């Protein structure tokens, strides 16, 4: 399972890097370089998907956690669960993130993996 999660994280990082345009002036860096959380700051939670926004190979999910808080999560479409109840593992956070493809701001936006999982009932 750890290999699957690691492979998904590597695919997400590579995809985000490739998705950024290269200008004639300079190359735009992979956003995860600035947003990656240190190992001790990474976290996970379970919740319920309330909204899905497709953005090419990325999927933005609004997930309500067991405490009722809503979070926007960016993940790879190819690895995201189609389930409504999910387990989320977060490895990066952007306080303010603009999606060119969706033409909107996310504040904050979490980057992570999303898989099927029962919500916490505690």
């Amino acid at each position: 399972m750890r290999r699957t999660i690691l492979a998904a994280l590597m695919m997400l990082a590579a995809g985000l890097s490739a998705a950024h345009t290269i200008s004639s002036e300079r190359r735009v860096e992979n956003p995860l370089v600035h947003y990656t959380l240190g190992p001790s700051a990474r976290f996970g939670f379970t919740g319920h998907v309330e909204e899905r926004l497709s953005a090419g190979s990325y999927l933005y999910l609004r997930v309500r956690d067991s405490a009722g808080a809503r979070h926007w999560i960016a993940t790879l479409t190819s690895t995201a669960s189609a389930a409504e109840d999910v387990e989320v593992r977060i490895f990066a956070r952007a306080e303010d993130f603009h999606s060119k493809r969706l033409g909107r701001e996310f504040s904050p936006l979490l980057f992570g993996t999303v898989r099927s999982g029962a919500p916490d009932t505690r």
Side-chain angles (χ1 to χ4, degrees):
M1 176 178 307
R2 286 188 179 191
R3 278 191 183 167
T4 303
I5 292 172
L6 181 58
L9 293 176
M10 290 172 55
M11 286 174 50
L12 180 60
L16 285 173
S17 180
H20 284 275
T21 59
I22 299 174
S23 70
S24 58
E25 304 286 326
R26 64 181 177 90
R27 181 177 178 169
V28 176
E29 289 183 11
N30 178 338
L32 293 180
V33 169
H34 300 289
Y35 305 139
T36 299
L37 298 170
S40 64
R42 295 174 187 175
F43 63 98
F45 60 91
T46 58
H48 184 79
V49 176
E50 296 186 329
E51 187 174 352
R52 294 174 188 270
L53 301 175
S54 181
S57 60
Y58 301 99
L59 185 62
Y60 292 74
L61 302 171
R62 186 172 65 175
V63 177
R64 182 188 297 256
D65 68 21
S66 60
R70 291 184 173 121
H71 309 275
W72 278 106
I73 316 298
T75 193
L76 286 173
T77 301
S78 62
T79 61
S81 172
E84 296 303 313
D85 293 321
V86 295
E87 182 179 326
V88 181
R89 298 295 307 158
I90 300 303
F91 62 86
R93 177 187 172 104
E95 291 306 318
D96 297 296
F97 188 87
H98 176 75
S99 168
K100 290 181 184 178
R101 182 165 280 194
L102 296 175
R104 68 177 284 182
E105 301 290 325
F106 294 91
S107 182
L109 178 64
L110 304 173
F111 299 87
T113 59
V114 179
R115 65 185 182 113
S116 178
D120 230 352
T121 55
R122 286 182 244 168

